[in-house]
């Protein structure tokens, strides 16, 4: 595997994990929102990854065979919890408001996992760089 492939794969992984972290942070920011209907309630966003295969390489996008990219950002279809608050300005006719379906603990775990994956990609690129520099040093002798 060439140096460019290693760096491309690591770069794609870091980009994908950055999007994953941003989605989780956005979910946490909207965890306490409330709406008047279940349809209007904030739904957590989930990042869907896809492996880049040889037949799917798009050089203009910077894809590398074996890398990963974000396929889509989908809404979590878990139901929005109904909370009885008859005095709330957004309450429906039955007195319910609908909270987001975000579980803050799940989002924190997702942020931690994405951060570790990001760190692994950084370490892989640093290792490849060190190996390349060592090879250059050996060739100079």
């Amino acid at each position: 595997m060439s140096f460019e492939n290693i760096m491309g794969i690591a770069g794609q992984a870091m980009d994908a994990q950055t999007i994953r972290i941003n989605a989780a942070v956005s979910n946490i920011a909207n965890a306490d929102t409330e709406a008047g209907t279940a349809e209007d309630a904030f739904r957590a966003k989930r990042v869907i990854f896809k492996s880049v295969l040889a037949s799917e390489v798009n050089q203009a996008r910077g894809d590398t065979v074996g890398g990963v990219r974000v396929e889509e950002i989908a809404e979590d279809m878990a139901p929005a919890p109904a909370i009885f608050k008859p005095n709330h300005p957004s309450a429906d006719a039955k007195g319910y408001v609908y909270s987001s379906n975000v579980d803050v603990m799940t989002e924190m775990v997702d942020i931690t996992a994405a951060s570790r994956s990001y760190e692994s990609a950084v370490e892989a690129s640093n290792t490849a760089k060190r190996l390349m520099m060592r090879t250059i040093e050996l060739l100079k002798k």
Side-chain angles (χ1 to χ4, degrees), residues 38-39 41-44 46 75-81 99-103:
E39 293 78 28
F42 180 83
R43 298 199 178 275
R46 302 287 172 230
E75 287 190 348
D76 188 338
M77 297 313 293
S99 181
S100 71
N101 64 352
V102 174
D103 178 16

Side-chain angles (χ1 to χ4, degrees), residues 6-140:
I6 294 169
M7 297 308 254
I9 291 169
Q12 287 176 356
M14 287 185 274
D15 290 344
Q17 295 307 325
T18 299
I19 293 169
R20 181 178 172 193
I21 291 170
N22 287 339
V25 168
S26 174
N27 290 342
I28 291 171
N30 289 288
D32 293 330
T33 60
E34 296 174 335
T37 65
E39 293 78 28
D40 291 338
F42 180 83
R43 298 199 178 275
K45 308 297 186 250
R46 302 287 172 230
V47 179
I48 311 297
F49 297 118
K50 183 172 182 5
S51 298
V52 178
L53 304 175
S55 61
E56 301 169 329
V57 172
N58 182 341
Q59 293 296 336
R61 190 171 46 214
D63 288 346
T64 304
V65 176
V68 66
R69 71 169 179 254
V70 173
E71 180 71 9
E72 69 175 300
I73 299 176
E75 287 190 348
D76 188 338
M77 297 313 293
I83 303 166
F84 186 68
K85 288 185 178 180
N87 295 328
H88 192 282
S90 296
D92 63 9
K94 296 179 183 177
Y96 287 97
V97 292
Y98 299 87
S99 181
S100 71
N101 64 352
V102 174
D103 178 16
V104 175
M105 190 59 66
T106 301
E107 301 304 324
M108 292 303 294
V109 169
D110 201 36
I111 288 171
T112 302
S115 296
R116 298 276 163 86
S117 295
Y118 188 95
E119 289 169 6
S120 295
V122 169
E123 191 58 38
S125 65
N126 286 340
T127 300
K129 185 173 124 184
R130 281 193 302 273
L131 289 171
M132 184 61 69
M133 295 304 293
R134 183 69 181 137
T135 302
I136 292 170
E137 288 173 11
L138 289 172
L139 291 174
K140 284 182 179 179

